Amino acid sequence: MNSEPILFKGAKVFDPLCLCFRNLDFVVQSQKIVETGTLSHLGYSTVNLKGYWVLPGFVDSHCHILGVGQKEDVCNLEKFDDIHKMFEHIKHSLRSLSSPYVFRGWDETKLGIVPSRDLIRKFLGDVEILLIRRCGHVALISEALEKKHGLHTKNGMVSEDQLSDLLQKIPHSLESLKIYLKKGCERALKHGVTTIHSDDLHRTNVVRLITILRAQRKLRIQEELALKTPEEVCKLRKLFGFYSPHLAIPGIKIYLDGSLGGRTAYLEEEYSDEPGNRGVLNHTCKDLERFLNVCAANGLTLSIHVIGDGALNAVLKTIYRVHRIPSIKLIHLQITKPEHIIKLKKLRVNITVQPGFWKSDREMARSRIGDRMKYAYRFRDMYLKMLKVGFSSDAPVETIDPRYGIEAAMELGFEWEEAVALYTWGSAQLSSIPVFRNTGRIAKGYYADFLIYDSDPRKMCVPASVFVGGREVYPGR
């Protein structure tokens, strides 16, 4: 691919290290950028980009690409702000689906009410159905489905481990997974996302997941397998590693706590709107220590979902206690106190945060944690303290379109240039795979993943063309 050099000439190219645009020519050969500067090579095929702007491809360092693809089907409930219309939609959709039914996306802050079993009975009757909140951490289960699987819930609300186990008993078909991956990749590339760190081991098994991921050749995917026990890590250790420039599986992900929306993020103090509840810690410090040790012993990355300050305390306490520390990536960190930031800087762990949550969740978060909002979304503090941080979307919870996160970051005090840098080169540096770190910048030796704009991207427009490895993949003429 690209065995013959191609000169891209005359564009204004953004450099995330100097946070500026500059006139730059670059030569692409064999998927990489082999030369940059003011160039004029007679005999090279030349693409004239005078009057165009170029950004490095965006790197989304935390998302769920299969979920992005699935979001487009009838099972997505995010658009509804009326509970009755939502249930009418579900009722109509059941005609084209097979039982048990799984829908996702309801949000009580938009609906004005939490869905209930009474509403399931009223609109749907005695059906086997699971309605997952938009955060993906809590769900409402019908009596019929709960009885079928022998669960015991409070008013039908399922959270964390119960939900994960239940979804594994309702697997997607192989054909559905292929469709979701294709749609998810198309959606990402349309918005200029050329590399992702993804967590997709839900409603499928490891072998099937790897099979479909290996088949795609447009997006770069760093897959992080969501596992529950260190024993699973040992059992699957032969499956980890570098597969191709489009797929690597460097390690695992664990969910240490839940979400603020579901009141399952683990807090130091109780929820302001639910006294007596501090959330859920899915793993003890001893469990976490075992995960750290097994990842260190096998040379694997450990990515940790941690939202609440109580969960962050557990992470920091455990990391300081172990002797061998693997490559660590902390995901979310929605509540961080100044002392947390100091400790995180000393440990030099990788951190990926989602500015988009500031736009969508801040009113909900304020009701959950009250005055502790002063410690929430402190992403700019992390950046100014020079923590190793990158931006991501957590799509499909939020849109995979980086513009949404960039706009939110600017509301949090970032400059456009800073936000783009953290969504490109900054996120690329969170990978433990060298190939994936060589993205996010237009420079010699980096992969030729870039976006061409026919107007200034600071106006928040979409790219006209998207290139991965020097090949145009969107719109893909």
Side-chain angles (χ1 to χ4, degrees):
M1 187 182 296
N2 301 121
S3 58
E4 297 297 322
I6 301 175
L7 172 62
F8 292 82
K9 187 170 179 60
K12 296 177 181 177
V13 177
F14 179 75
D15 187 343
L17 295 192
C18 69
L19 302 178
C20 65
F21 282 94
R22 54 187 176 137
N23 293 323
L24 187 73
D25 307 330
F26 56 96
V27 176
V28 173
Q29 186 176 22
S30 299
Q31 301 190 51
K32 290 189 175 183
I33 297 166
V34 297
E35 195 172 357
T36 64
T38 302
L39 307 173
S40 182
H41 290 287
L42 295 177
Y44 282 11
S45 296
T46 300
V47 178
N48 183 6
L49 293 181
K50 187 174 182 179
Y52 289 84
W53 288 257
V54 170
L55 296 185
F58 288 109
V59 179
D60 191 326
S61 47
H62 176 61
C63 70
H64 311 266
I65 195 64
L66 294 180
V68 174
Q70 187 182 5
K71 194 172 182 177
E72 296 186 30
D73 68 20
V74 296
C75 299
N76 179 28
L77 303 176
E78 287 190 16
K79 64 182 178 181
F80 293 99
D81 56 11
D82 182 289
I83 193 79
H84 294 91
K85 290 182 180 179
M86 185 185 83
F87 272 100
E88 288 291 351
H89 168 78
I90 294 171
K91 183 178 180 179
H92 177 76
S93 300
L94 297 189
R95 302 170 190 169
S96 60
L97 302 171
S98 57
S99 178
Y101 309 104
V102 180
F103 288 76
R104 176 173 172 169
W106 61 265
D107 184 348
E108 75 282 0
T109 61
K110 291 176 66 175
L111 295 171
I113 186 175
V114 177
S116 67
R117 280 183 165 173
D118 288 340
L119 288 169
I120 289 179
R121 283 191 293 266
K122 177 180 177 181
F123 285 92
L124 310 176
D126 187 27
V127 297
E128 296 179 357
I129 193 167
L130 187 68
L131 305 179
I132 306 172
R133 191 182 183 275
R134 68 182 290 269
C135 65
H137 289 274
V138 295
L140 175 67
I141 187 172
S142 67
E143 291 176 282
L145 190 57
E146 178 176 335
K147 183 177 180 180
K148 177 179 179 179
H149 290 284
L151 301 178
H152 301 283
T153 66
K154 183 180 179 181
N155 300 320
M157 282 297 170
V158 180
S159 65
E160 307 310 326
D161 281 354
Q162 275 189 321
L163 178 56
S164 177
D165 290 341
L166 180 60
L167 288 174
Q168 287 302 101
K169 297 174 183 177
I170 314 173
H172 290 300
S173 68
L174 179 60
E175 190 58 36
S176 292
L177 291 172
K178 290 178 179 178
I179 292 171
Y180 297 151
L181 179 61
K182 183 176 185 292
K183 288 184 176 180
C185 290
E186 289 172 350
R187 175 72 59 172
L189 292 167
K190 174 182 178 180
H191 294 295
V193 177
T194 55
T195 299
I196 60 169
H197 299 186
S198 196
D199 158 21
D200 300 293
L201 190 55
H202 308 281
R203 299 184 67 185
T204 186
N205 61 58
V206 175
V207 173
R208 179 172 283 187
L209 176 63
I210 293 175
T211 298
I212 66 164
L213 293 178
R214 292 184 73 173
Q216 78 83 33
R217 287 289 186 271
K218 291 186 176 181
L219 199 63
R220 301 192 196 279
I221 301 177
Q222 175 173 304
E223 182 67 29
E224 297 159 354
L225 300 180
L227 302 180
K228 289 190 174 183
T229 68
E231 288 74 23
E232 287 182 282
V233 180
C234 296
K235 181 179 178 181
L236 299 173
R237 63 180 180 272
K238 292 183 179 179
L239 296 178
F240 295 101
F242 178 77
Y243 284 77
S244 75
H246 292 278
L247 177 64
I249 307 178
I252 70 167
K253 177 188 173 183
I254 62 172
Y255 288 83
L256 192 58
D257 66 345
S259 69
L260 287 175
R263 298 186 185 86
T264 52
Y266 189 64
L267 307 181
E268 283 186 357
E269 302 174 10
E270 62 188 18
Y271 280 83
S272 298
D273 60 353
E274 192 173 296
N277 177 25
R278 290 178 55 199
V280 178
L281 192 66
N282 295 321
H283 299 281
T284 66
C285 288
K286 190 66 176 177
D287 292 335
L288 184 54
E289 184 175 345
R290 292 173 62 220
F291 275 113
L292 288 164
N293 287 333
V294 76
C295 286
N298 289 280
L300 302 177
T301 297
L302 177 60
S303 296
I304 308 173
H305 168 113
V306 51
I307 287 183
D309 50 357
L312 182 54
N313 287 337
V315 169
L316 294 172
K317 175 183 176 181
T318 308
I319 292 176
Y320 274 106
R321 195 166 62 193
V322 299
H323 298 295
R324 295 178 62 190
I325 302 175
S327 174
I328 296 172
K329 183 171 76 174
L330 301 182
I331 303 169
H332 301 309
L333 272 62
Q334 282 182 249
I335 306 174
T336 48
K337 295 180 178 179
E339 57 266 34
H340 292 142
I341 293 177
I342 292 171
K343 291 179 180 178
L344 288 165
K345 184 175 182 180
K346 289 180 180 178
L347 289 170
R348 295 192 60 78
V349 296
N350 297 322
I351 300 168
T352 180
V353 297
Q354 301 76 39
F357 286 161
W358 165 253
K359 288 173 72 75
S360 62
D361 283 354
R362 63 177 180 264
E363 294 308 318
M364 174 276 295
R366 187 170 285 111
S367 69
R368 297 288 190 269
I369 60 176
D371 293 341
R372 287 165 288 180
M373 277 295 288
K374 62 187 176 184
Y375 302 124
Y377 310 102
R378 303 305 298 242
F379 307 148
R380 183 149 180 82
D381 287 351
M382 297 177 193
Y383 174 72
L384 293 175
K385 294 294 184 182
M386 300 183 71
L387 273 64
K388 195 174 178 183
V389 64
F391 283 169
S392 53
S393 66
D394 200 14
V397 179
E398 302 295 349
T399 175
I400 203 166
D401 185 348
R403 293 177 299 171
Y404 186 78
I406 291 167
E407 289 174 350
M410 292 170 69
E411 291 181 16
L412 288 167
F414 287 90
E415 298 295 330
W416 180 91
E417 292 81 0
E418 294 171 329
V420 171
L422 291 176
Y423 231 129
T424 52
W425 190 83
S427 274
Q429 300 316 297
L430 304 185
S431 176
S432 60
I433 302 293
V435 167
F436 283 72
R437 287 200 299 273
N438 285 339
T439 62
R441 190 172 180 229
I442 310 299
K444 185 176 180 179
Y446 281 70
Y447 275 93
D449 303 347
F450 57 92
L451 320 174
I452 297 175
Y453 292 80
D454 51 19
S455 59
D456 191 334
R458 287 168 291 196
K459 297 177 181 178
M460 296 299 186
C461 48
V462 297
S465 296
V466 177
F467 286 74
V468 175
R471 176 169 66 102
E472 188 178 31
V473 293
Y474 184 87
R477 289 184 288 273

